[in-house]
Amino acid sequence: MVFSPQLLATDAKPYAIAIHGGAGTIKPSSMTDEQQKAYRAKLKQAVDAGYDILEQGGTSLDAVKTAINVLENTPYFNAGVGSVYTFDGGHELDASIMDGKSMNAGAVSGVKHIKNPIDLAISVMHKSPHVMLYGQGAEEFALTQGYQLVPNTHFDTPHRYAQLLDAKQKIIQREQKNGDYQASVNSLKDEYKFGTVGAVALDKSGNLVAGTSTGGMTAKRFNRIGDSPVIGAGTYAENGVCAVSATGHGEYFIRYQVAGDICAKVKYQQKSIAKAADEVINQTLVEAGGTGGVITVDHKGNIAMPFNTGGMYRASRAHGEQAKVMIWKDK
């Protein structure tokens, strides 16, 4: 029997990965050429690191973990190092992971001393009978798994602290004026309300995985928890359907179960991943007043990354292609 290269390429199992570093009001004028290059280089490093694992026959779980670790370990994004500050001047981090093959999931929320929260979320998925662990309990579990805790100051960065001081001043002034904490927080610009990193991947075995990690909302109070650790809201994966990681104003993503809704449209309405994601992000959320975006990949390796904000740090790489790195709608 003669095998043609074209036939082999056609029959090859698809694999793909997409990542994001958060959505928001990202104006080209607010970034120097050097800053743009730095952000794009880090996004490319992350997506290439995950892609290399897939190309070598590795699992989508390892690809997602590796890509997110790259983003957690740089101060550019609101996850790990570079996480935003709480109202009280500390850091509370969240993360989640979902395996589309087993439909198992793991999540942590409000952790303060875990260098890479996505790693602990994976440990929760594999090593505990639970899906989500919170705060001190999550860190006690981490110790039983051999994790080394880091000081909360590990996540400090000067630019995030400056954001905190500005956000606090605005919240306090407006709350003193109108006596309404909710309205004072809601009046903040979008860049204070969200910022996340995430990855979705399809491996050669057809397994889909989604993961998300975040430092939450600038100046958040009362142990606020957003959508990132909530399965079905900020993270969802199901083999044969799709994988989704979200970034945006988390309260809306929870209310409208954004990640799960996108996959439901693909599964039950047979819509393409591009159409399903666009409907939720640019119709459902917009009509509700929610802002943000998602990265998605389906079981065939198709990728969609819609957002309804000024920009979204994102990158993707499908089987046999070079990395595509973008910040705004068309570049």
Side-chain angles (χ1 to χ4, degrees):
M1 182 178 293
V2 178
F3 295 92
S4 70
Q6 184 176 5
L7 179 61
L8 289 173
T10 302
D11 289 347
K13 296 293 182 65
Y15 55 95
I17 183 170
I19 67 168
H20 70 76
T25 308
I26 308 167
K27 298 179 180 179
S29 60
S30 68
M31 302 179 72
T32 65
D33 289 344
E34 290 73 20
Q35 287 174 326
Q36 279 196 47
K37 289 178 181 178
Y39 274 85
R40 290 179 187 276
K42 190 57 66 172
L43 290 167
K44 186 176 187 304
Q45 177 188 345
V47 78
D48 283 348
Y51 182 87
D52 288 346
I53 290 173
L54 298 174
E55 187 176 42
Q56 296 165 18
T59 68
S60 48
L61 179 62
D62 286 343
V64 165
K65 173 186 180 299
T66 299
I68 291 179
N69 283 165
V70 171
L71 301 175
E72 287 177 329
N73 292 337
T74 178
Y76 298 153
F77 307 106
N78 179 18
V81 175
S83 288
V84 298
Y85 287 76
T86 66
F87 193 88
D88 295 328
H91 306 276
E92 297 174 357
L93 286 63
D94 310 325
S96 65
I97 193 84
M98 186 166 185
D99 182 343
K101 180 180 180 180
S102 64
M103 298 299 288
N104 200 2
V108 294
S109 183
V111 296
K112 301 178 180 181
H113 305 97
I114 303 298
K115 180 182 177 182
N116 294 106
I118 194 66
D119 293 8
L120 185 55
I122 293 171
S123 293
V124 171
M125 178 173 70
H126 284 157
K127 302 294 184 179
S128 86
H130 311 299
V131 170
M132 184 186 293
L133 299 181
Y134 172 78
Q136 182 179 342
E139 295 185 349
E140 290 174 356
F141 170 75
L143 291 175
T144 70
Q145 301 303 307
Y147 283 76
Q148 297 295 316
L149 302 186
V150 299
N152 197 242
T153 53
H154 170 81
F155 309 106
D156 288 357
T157 50
H159 70 288
R160 294 298 189 194
Y161 189 66
Q163 284 182 341
L164 169 67
L165 297 181
D166 186 54
K168 281 185 68 171
Q169 182 181 36
K170 287 180 170 62
I171 291 172
I172 292 171
Q173 287 177 345
R174 290 166 183 169
E175 191 172 8
Q176 289 175 342
K177 182 178 180 179
N178 58 33
D180 189 332
Y181 170 67
Q182 182 181 26
S184 299
V185 172
N186 287 340
S187 66
L188 289 174
K189 295 180 180 178
D190 283 346
E191 55 259 40
Y192 294 113
K193 297 177 183 176
F194 49 78
T196 318
V197 307
V200 293
L202 170 73
D203 62 30
K204 292 181 179 180
S205 296
N207 295 321
L208 290 161
V209 168
T212 311
S213 181
T214 187
M217 177 188 291
T218 302
K220 64 182 179 180
R221 301 173 74 179
F222 314 119
N223 299 127
R224 176 261 186 187
I225 299 171
D227 66 303
S228 295
V230 180
I231 301 303
T235 303
Y236 190 80
E238 182 176 351
N239 273 17
V241 186
C242 70
V244 180
S245 174
T247 173
H249 192 169
E251 281 68 17
Y252 287 91
F253 281 69
I254 293 172
R255 293 169 190 157
Y256 290 87
Q257 52 179 355
V258 165
D261 191 29
I262 290 170
C263 287
K265 287 176 178 289
V266 174
K267 183 176 182 178
Y268 298 116
Q269 298 178 354
Q270 287 77 53
K271 291 183 177 179
S272 70
I273 190 64
K275 183 171 180 58
D278 180 72
E279 284 183 357
V280 174
I281 296 301
N282 290 311
Q283 293 181 34
T284 304
L285 271 187
V286 169
E287 291 170 4
T291 50
V294 292
I295 52 170
T296 65
V297 61
D298 70 11
H299 66 292
K300 296 180 180 179
N302 298 308
I303 293 170
M305 301 184 288
F307 55 97
N308 61 28
T309 55
M312 183 170 76
Y313 299 108
R314 63 202 189 279
S316 65
R317 193 171 178 187
H319 179 194
E321 298 179 359
Q322 293 301 307
K324 298 176 183 177
V325 181
M326 305 179 77
I327 300 176
W328 297 285
K329 291 289 184 182
D330 55 353
K331 61 181 180 178

